[in-house]
Amino acid sequence: MASELNYSHCAVLHNRLLEIGWVGSGKRLEYDSNNDQAEVLHRRNWFEYFGEDAERIRGRLSPSLVAFLERALVVDDHSLHYYVGGLASPDYLWLNHHSGGYSAEASDRYWTLYTATGIASEPDGLVFDQVGNKAVMQTSIFDSPITHNDRQQWFPLEDVLSAWLDMVEVGKVRAVGPDVEVPNEKFDPWIILPYSESQLQETLTAYHGLLDAIESRIPDVARPPSEPQLIPNTSLDTANISPGFVREFLNKAQRPWFQYIAPGLEIPTIDSFCEQPFSGVELNSISETSATPQTIQFPILLFRASDMFRTPPSPHGVDDQTGSYLPFAWPWSGVRTYPAGLYLTDSDRQAMCFEDGARVVLPFGIGASGYARTSDGARFGENKEEKGSLLHRMKDTHADLYQLGYNPFIESHEVRLVQVLHLWHKQIETGAWEVGRDGVLGGIEKWREADSEAGWKGYVVLISW
């Protein structure tokens, strides 16, 4: 369904991002009479910046797109965000969209509005649909079969720009001066951080809110006080937990007195936490170009499934029964089975860009019934590059629960822990998960609800960056 392009609001968001990056890099917004050498922001819109080349294609653009581009600023050698360099030049708009099999009438429908930075091979950018007035991040040209599979969700441009701005405002992405160096990639003036203090505090608030919701529903029994640390520093050392998000979270998260924080998932004891299934695994060469291989953190099992449920053996990271990829199929040796539960695992193992990434691993597969889905609407096990309805091809998978799927705003990564905790809290508040003397009831079998007609909606995280 077509939506209206709120070109005025989109231009405000675009220009706000541009100005934050400009100032964050040490430059000035306006001319400074005391420093005539200062780099100032020349306020030229897209048409003014590209001149005759832009005017030549004005008639191929919708009136609302023209209105946006007449308000959106463009500057030299300055990325708008970590993931996009800026508004595409007139000769780039349709460069990657002529081979899509569109009719002559639809040849101008899809085009690249923002060019991607060098975060992928064969980069493309944010693709815009002039008919539907919606957009989706197509990091690489090879993502096109997914974004055009007739199922992938596209979003209003203001939603995408708002997501990029939110990453800046919470400190996930930050503008810095040219003298700042980072171990991962930098797209001037932007860097991406493994996590920010704001993200850490948001996750702690969500965690403690979940504990309060569970505790308030436990029948009246003698309640010992909560302990101030979920896992103390000495035990984190024993478990070989590197400095970073996980260590900070575990140091500041309280230990509740009840046992189950989710169906069949236990609050870790110090002994069980130190028995990390991946801590003794040898790391092979992750990448010859990895800048900081010594900082790579193995997946950390936080909430273990009771009774030590384990997933099937998978030496190559592929489930032989379903053909689906299991998590943690890294170039490691020595791990053949592992306990089910919630793991904390960075999705970008070289750059450590999402240290708050999480993945729930089940001891059984779900998805074949066709109800379980990721945040982008994809069913578990489907081939996202095929067009049309694929309900008859659903498969059971072990580790797709709560995952975002194809991310329409930025590069794909594992779901953030805070999003999972918020959804668990909602399950408690709505009564979908019941609480007893030991915490959340239901056992590990409760998770099969995620592939049922009645329960699947309670197991899908809202799409986000």
Side-chain angles (χ1 to χ4, degrees):
M1 179 181 297
S3 61
E4 294 294 325
L5 174 62
N6 190 341
Y7 57 83
S8 179
H9 184 46
C10 288
V12 169
L13 294 170
H14 169 99
N15 293 337
R16 176 63 178 153
L17 278 168
L18 188 70
E19 291 181 351
I20 291 175
W22 191 263
V23 173
S25 66
K27 301 174 184 177
R28 299 180 183 275
L29 286 178
E30 305 296 346
Y31 178 74
D32 184 351
S33 59
N34 296 321
N35 182 5
D36 57 7
Q37 301 299 315
E39 293 186 78
V40 296
L41 182 62
H42 296 287
R43 298 181 179 277
R44 291 182 292 176
N45 66 34
W46 187 81
F47 285 99
E48 293 168 337
Y49 185 88
F50 290 108
E52 292 183 2
D53 290 340
E55 292 298 336
R56 194 174 297 117
I57 65 167
R58 182 186 283 264
R60 298 174 65 182
L61 308 177
S62 68
S64 58
L65 245 296
V66 169
F68 167 69
L69 294 173
E70 287 177 337
R71 291 162 172 77
L73 303 181
V74 181
V75 295
D76 292 320
D77 302 323
H78 181 90
S79 294
L80 183 77
H81 194 266
Y82 184 81
Y83 290 95
V84 292
L87 288 168
S89 62
D91 61 347
Y92 191 87
L93 295 178
W94 290 280
L95 182 65
N96 297 323
H97 304 282
H98 287 304
S99 59
Y102 310 124
S103 64
E105 298 79 23
S107 61
D108 284 350
R109 176 173 180 174
Y110 299 104
W111 49 288
T112 301
L113 180 59
Y114 290 93
T115 58
T117 52
I119 55 178
S121 61
E122 302 295 333
D124 187 10
L126 186 77
V127 178
F128 187 79
D129 174 5
Q130 283 207 93
V131 175
N133 280 323
K134 291 187 177 181
V136 68
M137 188 65 181
Q138 192 168 286
T139 305
S140 166
I141 60 174
F142 299 122
D143 293 334
S144 179
I146 298 176
T147 59
H148 293 280
N149 65 9
D150 299 332
R151 302 184 305 280
Q152 177 60 42
Q153 298 179 59
W154 291 47
F155 289 82
L157 178 58
E158 61 192 281
D159 288 2
V160 180
L161 292 167
S162 294
W164 292 347
L165 183 58
D166 184 57
M167 295 184 75
V168 174
E169 291 177 338
V170 302
K172 177 65 181 177
V173 169
R174 185 157 60 95
V176 298
D179 57 326
V180 176
E181 297 183 0
V182 292
N184 51 16
E185 291 190 271
K186 178 183 181 184
F187 302 106
D188 285 330
W190 301 100
I191 62 173
I192 190 167
L193 303 177
Y195 70 97
S196 68
E197 183 63 26
S198 176
Q199 287 181 282
L200 175 62
Q201 293 305 319
E202 181 187 19
T203 308
L204 287 167
T205 298
Y207 170 75
H208 291 132
L210 172 62
L211 298 189
D212 290 343
I214 295 171
E215 186 168 329
S216 67
R217 289 165 173 77
I218 293 179
D220 190 19
V221 295
R223 306 180 181 188
S226 298
E227 299 178 27
Q229 290 181 314
L230 185 58
I231 304 294
N233 255 322
T234 53
S235 298
L236 295 175
D237 292 336
T238 302
N240 297 319
I241 306 302
S242 302
F245 174 85
V246 176
R247 192 176 184 102
E248 289 294 314
F249 174 80
L250 294 174
N251 244 321
K252 297 176 180 178
Q254 294 181 359
R255 167 181 293 279
W257 55 270
F258 55 82
Q259 184 177 3
Y260 293 101
I261 192 169
L265 301 189
E266 299 179 318
I267 297 292
T269 65
I270 292 175
D271 289 340
S272 68
F273 181 82
C274 289
E275 295 176 0
Q276 289 293 324
F278 288 89
S279 62
V281 178
E282 289 186 11
L283 282 164
N284 293 330
S285 176
I286 298 295
S287 171
E288 294 180 359
T289 62
S290 178
T292 55
Q294 71 278 8
T295 65
I296 294 173
Q297 176 68 66
F298 56 80
I300 298 164
L301 179 54
L302 179 56
F303 302 124
R304 187 182 301 252
S306 57
D307 300 325
M308 294 293 289
F309 283 107
R310 291 179 178 270
T311 61
S314 183
H316 302 294
V318 178
D319 186 325
D320 294 332
Q321 294 181 345
T322 68
S324 61
Y325 281 89
L326 295 176
F328 319 138
W330 298 4
W332 290 357
S333 60
V335 173
R336 298 190 62 82
T337 62
Y338 44 82
L342 182 140
Y343 286 81
L344 297 177
T345 170
D346 171 55
S347 59
D348 187 336
R349 291 147 192 123
Q350 294 180 33
M352 297 295 283
C353 288
F354 284 85
E355 289 188 3
D356 57 343
R359 193 175 285 271
V360 171
V361 179
L362 298 175
F364 44 77
I366 60 172
S369 297
Y371 295 103
R373 65 197 71 186
T374 48
S375 301
D376 62 347
R379 268 63 169 190
F380 289 6
E382 75 167 54
N383 182 349
K384 295 186 179 184
E385 296 188 356
E386 290 190 43
K387 284 182 174 287
S389 175
L390 301 178
L391 290 180
H392 61 290
R393 301 189 186 182
M394 300 305 98
K395 297 178 181 178
D396 284 336
T397 64
H398 292 272
D400 286 326
L401 192 65
Y402 298 124
Q403 293 305 305
L404 302 177
Y406 187 89
N407 197 309
F409 307 130
I410 63 172
E411 196 174 26
S412 294
H413 60 87
E414 274 135 343
V415 66
R416 287 174 285 145
L417 175 61
V418 66
Q419 296 172 277
V420 177
L421 296 174
H422 279 316
L423 203 57
W424 287 2
H425 192 159
K426 185 177 180 180
Q427 290 286 79
I428 299 296
E429 293 288 352
T430 61
W433 287 357
E434 297 181 349
V435 175
R437 295 171 60 91
D438 294 326
V440 181
L441 300 173
I444 202 70
E445 291 294 316
K446 182 74 171 175
W447 299 93
R448 295 188 185 276
E449 287 183 347
D451 196 25
S452 68
E453 183 177 9
W456 70 267
K457 291 182 180 179
Y459 294 84
V460 179
V461 170
L462 291 177
I463 196 72
S464 173
W465 57 264

